[in-house]
Amino acid sequence: MHPLIELRQVSFGYGAELALENINLHLHPGQFAALVGPSGAGKTSLLKLVLGGLQPNQGEVYIHGQLLDGQPNPHVGYVPQLETIDWNFPVTVEQVVLMGRIRRSTIWPWPSATEKRQVRAILEKLEINHLAQRHIRDLSGGQRQRVFLARALTAEPDLLVLDEPTTGVDMRTAENVLHLLADLNRQGMTVLMTIHDLNAAAAHAPWIICLNRRIIAQGRPEQIFVEEILNETYRGDMLVIRQDGMLFVQQRPHSHTYHAVVPDPVPGHEE
Amino acid sequence: MANIFLQPFQFEFFRNGILVAVIVGGLCGLIGVYIVLRGMSYIGHGLSHAIFGGAVVSFIMSWNFYLGAGLWGFVAAVLINQTVRRTKINADAAIGVITTASFAVGVALISRYRRFTQSFDAALFGNILGVTTQDLWVVSAVAALIAVAIFLIYKQLLFVTFDSEVARVYGVKTEWVDTFFALILASALIASMQILGVTLIAAALVIPAISARLLTDSFNRMVILSTLCGASTGFVGMYLSFYIDIASGASIVLLQASGFGLALIFSSLRKRASQRIVHTHL
């Protein structure tokens, strides 16, 4: 059986300098993978290659064994970073979710009864059915993430691609979003996401891909979250703590850091 | 009263003019929604100037005005799109360079061949006296084609306007939609030039749309409101133009600006009222 996504010796750059170099990656149906790495590591470029939004300078991207030749990937549901959305745009939740059906929609400007039914079913699944007629600006962070997840699911994808789904939301909302993705994955959905929060990735993603221009390592969190691999990925001094079967990652503070940020006491106000 | 309403209709120029004003007003209102939501309000202003260059060239080369100027405007719009897409230049800068250069071509040719300065006053400021029955048919046909085109790509246009990059991922041929929209815009500007004039088209594109945006949070309602606002101000503006004896484009745009002022007041009052309700409930 072909992998769902396969990148063969892919290199990509925005100019002379390569953002991604010699990437070999397989993603099989049913996998849940988190792509981690520092800013500028090429995570979003890699996602865009998978989405068909970018073409590699070298190498090939295959979907279900078929070459993706500069065309959008028809098997994918994409959730962009929430920060890129214009929240004042005059659309309701239902209208946004209906956009996901654009490939299968009728020529008429209004949705068919079937389309409306399908959208309602997905909104219900994500427990946001009551928000269907709400303007997108009037939603909380978690609700917003669910709306764009619903749009992706409406496309009936084999693969969900999410760009930083936990950025810009509070810790509890991030937890909820990751639980939701895990649930969808248990129901058979393949998930590929980029994420900055290494602790959240360690807790929720069963497969981690460390990227910094090239793939440094990939595997289960307990294999990947070791100081050598993280140091190489982030080019920093990373600390990994294991406690009660959980993994915590922290960057070691520089010894002089605190001296630099503590201001001198104001004369006359010393304790 | 009825006499005041019906009297202007005895003149053919008024009958043609008011029909064209209603059609053009509605058309600009409809297209303006997409322009405003894409944050490209300046494109109407720029392209109308670019088309002026095309109009002058068409006149000199003895080409058909609609075809020559329309093609010129379309090429300018595509050039702007491609410049933004393929370079680091922002839309406002690309519009500034391409359309102003195009306008300059028109100005240069006018100053070289001074004999037709008078006829281009109408193109610059709008003139209802110049609307012929043939113009009425052309404008009606262009408006009908544009309305059908927007109807057919309504969902794609909405998605591209909301988020072009993601729309492409979901299979929308965004380059085609952009090019198609450039063609629609150029056609609408050509159709509007006679009645509104180059200098006032931009306002007719933007004001109804932003007024509608102030009144609703629904895209569909915004499209309907903006189109109705454009058409009704075209109708009333023509009466004002007739009775006060001012340029048709100016009266339509001034009416729209007044409508915008009212929409602004209404939306501020509504916002204040809703804040008061929230306050009461806290």
Side-chain angles (χ1 to χ4, degrees), chain A residues 48 78 88 90 108 137 152, chain B residues 155 165-166 170 213 217 219:
Chain A
K48 285 184 177 172
Y78 174 52
N88 278 320
W108 308 113
R137 186 188 50 228
Chain B
K155 288 174 181 170
E165 199 180 336
V166 177
Y170 280 88
R213 181 68 192 91
D217 262 346
F219 181 78

Side-chain angles (χ1 to χ4, degrees), chain B:
Chain B
M1 186 68 190
N3 199 31
I4 291 174
F5 183 75
L6 292 174
Q7 192 203 345
F9 276 92
Q10 60 186 294
F11 304 108
E12 192 191 1
F13 79 88
F14 187 82
R15 287 197 299 274
N16 289 343
I18 200 161
L19 276 171
V20 171
V22 169
I23 294 168
V24 158
L27 191 60
C28 286
L30 173 64
I31 294 170
V33 170
Y34 297 96
I35 288 172
V36 164
L37 291 177
R38 283 175 148 206
M40 294 181 80
S41 301
Y42 189 49
I43 199 168
H45 184 73
L47 268 190
S48 55
H49 283 68
I51 285 169
F52 179 75
V56 178
V57 172
S58 301
F59 186 88
I60 289 171
M61 305 298 284
S62 303
W63 293 338
N64 178 288
F65 164 77
Y66 289 108
L67 282 179
L71 193 65
W72 190 282
F74 172 61
V75 170
V78 170
L79 270 177
I80 291 164
N81 269 336
Q82 292 302 315
T83 308
V84 174
R85 208 179 262 272
R86 294 175 195 279
T87 68
K88 291 174 186 168
I89 297 170
N90 286 333
D92 55 349
I95 292 166
V97 171
I98 292 163
T99 61
T100 317
S102 182
F103 183 68
V105 170
V107 174
L109 289 173
I110 283 179
S111 58
R112 178 78 180 83
Y113 304 91
R114 288 178 186 278
R115 62 193 154 90
F116 52 83
T117 307
Q118 192 65 35
S119 61
F120 281 99
D121 276 356
L124 279 170
F125 304 111
N127 180 15
I128 51 164
L129 295 171
V131 179
T132 63
T133 310
Q134 190 204 349
D135 290 329
L136 176 61
W137 281 111
V138 171
V139 169
S140 305
V142 168
L145 281 173
I146 289 174
V148 170
I150 288 182
F151 184 84
L152 293 177
I153 60 162
Y154 190 81
K155 288 174 181 170
Q156 286 80 0
L157 209 46
L158 170 62
F159 203 167
V160 171
T161 307
F162 180 54
D163 190 343
S164 179
E165 199 180 336
V166 177
R168 190 182 178 279
V169 171
Y170 280 88
V172 179
K173 297 191 184 315
T174 51
E175 288 210 21
W176 280 109
V177 172
D178 283 343
T179 307
F180 198 56
F181 188 71
L183 183 60
I184 286 174
L185 181 57
S187 312
L189 291 174
I190 292 290
S192 315
M193 209 160 155
Q194 190 85 47
I195 197 89
L196 291 165
V198 165
T199 46
L200 296 171
I201 289 176
L205 279 169
V206 174
I207 300 175
I210 52 168
S211 305
R213 181 68 192 91
L214 286 171
L215 298 175
T216 181
D217 262 346
S218 152
F219 181 78
N220 297 341
R221 274 201 292 273
M222 184 179 170
V223 167
I224 293 166
L225 270 177
S226 180
T227 308
L228 286 178
C229 171
S232 57
T233 49
F235 185 84
V236 180
M238 281 300 290
Y239 270 98
L240 282 180
S241 167
F242 182 83
Y243 281 111
I244 306 176
D245 196 18
I246 55 173
S248 53
S251 66
I252 292 169
V253 168
L254 284 172
L255 208 59
Q256 289 177 345
S258 312
F260 170 70
L262 289 175
L264 199 61
I265 292 167
F266 178 76
S267 99
S268 307
L269 290 175
R270 193 174 53 176
K271 201 173 169 187
R272 226 178 267 180
S274 68
Q275 278 169 347
R276 207 173 299 145
I277 289 168
V278 171
H279 228 67
T280 317
H281 281 78
L282 281 176

Side-chain angles (χ1 to χ4, degrees), chain A residues 34-37 198 208-219 224-225 229-230 233-234:
Chain A
L35 199 55
V36 301
L198 293 178
I208 307 290
I209 304 161
C210 285
L211 184 78
N212 193 347
R213 220 168 73 147
R214 59 190 180 84
I215 291 181
I216 308 291
Q218 55 177 316
I224 294 301
F225 287 113
I229 292 175
L230 293 179
T233 305
Y234 286 88

